Amino acid sequence: MEEKKAHYSQAFKLHVVEEVLRGELTKEQARRKYGIRGKSGVLNWMRKFGVSNAKQIPVCFERMKQEETTDKAALEQRVKELERALEDAQLK
């Protein structure tokens, strides 16, 4: 029986590679933790993002971190708005 090739999102690949670059996991540990089938999958992703070792942090990670910060701030603002609306509704 033929195995289906797994498809991972760009965000997932970036997350895994970032964990390896930060030294939180080795490539093999990341492969096991996330059930990545190919033995060289993480290495291939690192090469795809222009990273050959942990000393190189690609620009795409910096952009991803900025987007996460922006998203977090927007979510926090939305929570505050909803809390105010709930208080208003409870007062009525």
Side-chain angles (χ1 to χ4, degrees), residues 21-60:
L21 290 175
R22 280 191 258 140
E24 294 173 11
L25 300 170
T26 66
K27 291 183 287 268
E28 181 60 24
Q29 288 170 333
R31 189 182 72 77
R32 288 186 194 143
K33 177 180 178 180
Y34 295 108
I36 300 165
R37 292 184 189 168
K39 291 216 178 237
S40 60
V42 177
L43 177 61
N44 290 336
W45 297 346
M46 291 174 74
R47 288 179 180 151
K48 177 182 175 184
F49 297 125
V51 181
S52 59
N53 62 49
K55 293 179 183 172
Q56 298 175 321
I57 306 287
V59 175
C60 58

Side-chain angles (χ1 to χ4, degrees), residues 82-92:
L82 291 171
E83 286 173 343
R84 277 188 230 120
L86 179 61
E87 286 177 16
D88 291 344
Q90 288 174 340
L91 288 175
K92 290 180 181 178

Side-chain angles (χ1 to χ4, degrees), residues 49-70:
F49 297 125
V51 181
S52 59
N53 62 49
K55 293 179 183 172
Q56 298 175 321
I57 306 287
V59 175
C60 58
F61 290 125
E62 296 305 320
R63 272 182 286 174
M64 188 171 75
K65 286 179 184 175
Q66 289 171 351
E67 290 170 3
E68 286 176 356
T69 303
T70 304

